Amino acid sequence: MGHSFHRPEELTGLVAYDPEGERIGGVEQVYVDDCAGRPEWVTVKTGLFGTKESLAPLAGARREGNALHIAHAKTTVKDAPRHDVHQHLTADEERELYRHYGVDGHGTNAPTPGAEPLSAGPPEASRTGTPAGGVAREPVRARLRKVGRV
């Protein structure tokens, strides 16, 4: 069972651990969902001497004191696709990360069974991505935005 993180500040100074309790590294940056404004991903210092940053999802994560227990093995985090830690992740970068972790990209760090993705399309689009004209289209995914170092 995960925790829902509402503010990037809640992740300040945490150290990430995998499900087996193995230390992964310190939380460096937070990425929030553009629509919801909630933290969805963090970067964690990995590599020899913590010289690299790997993106890790907050889906299924929980906080215990200064520890952030994520739902993925240390090797999975270390092997995650590397992306520049620029302001936004592109849709392709997001898809690659979601696929790597096997995480649903519905834009929530507390997965809800049966939840619909939110549409980030024009105002006439409904929650399911069907525009006012009635022609169904693929739901538009909100991009993840870096909010800076924690």
Side-chain angles (χ1 to χ4, degrees):
M1 181 168 147
H3 176 79
S4 182
F5 299 97
H6 299 285
R7 296 184 336 262
E9 304 83 47
E10 296 173 350
L11 301 159
T12 302
L14 300 184
V15 175
Y17 293 88
D18 76 1
E20 302 299 318
E22 190 170 352
R23 185 183 196 278
I24 300 171
V27 173
E28 287 295 310
Q29 299 182 69
V30 178
Y31 283 76
V32 298
D33 181 286
D34 272 346
C35 288
R38 285 188 311 257
E40 295 290 332
W41 293 75
V42 293
T43 63
V44 179
K45 284 284 198 178
T46 58
L48 190 58
F49 306 113
T51 57
K52 297 181 180 174
E53 288 182 50
S54 298
L55 280 154
L58 290 172
R62 72 183 192 291
R63 180 179 179 166
E64 291 180 6
N66 288 330
L68 176 66
H69 296 274
I70 64 169
H72 302 278
K74 180 178 183 174
T75 56
T76 303
V77 175
K78 289 177 72 173
D79 294 341
R82 299 266 183 232
H83 297 291
D84 274 339
V85 284
H86 42 71
Q87 198 61 27
H88 273 92
L89 292 180
T90 67
D92 287 341
E93 289 170 335
E94 280 189 42
R95 278 190 293 277
E96 185 179 23
L97 285 164
Y98 283 112
R99 199 170 27 253
H100 173 77
Y101 284 103
V103 174
D104 185 13
H106 284 184
T108 176
N109 58 36
T112 305
E116 289 182 328
L118 292 175
S119 172
E124 69 271 13
S126 71
R127 282 182 52 90
T128 59
T130 304
V135 177
R137 63 179 171 83
E138 185 69 24
V140 178
R141 168 91 178 99
R143 290 186 352 179
L144 296 173
R145 169 179 46 93
K146 180 176 77 172
V147 293
R149 297 203 179 269
V150 291

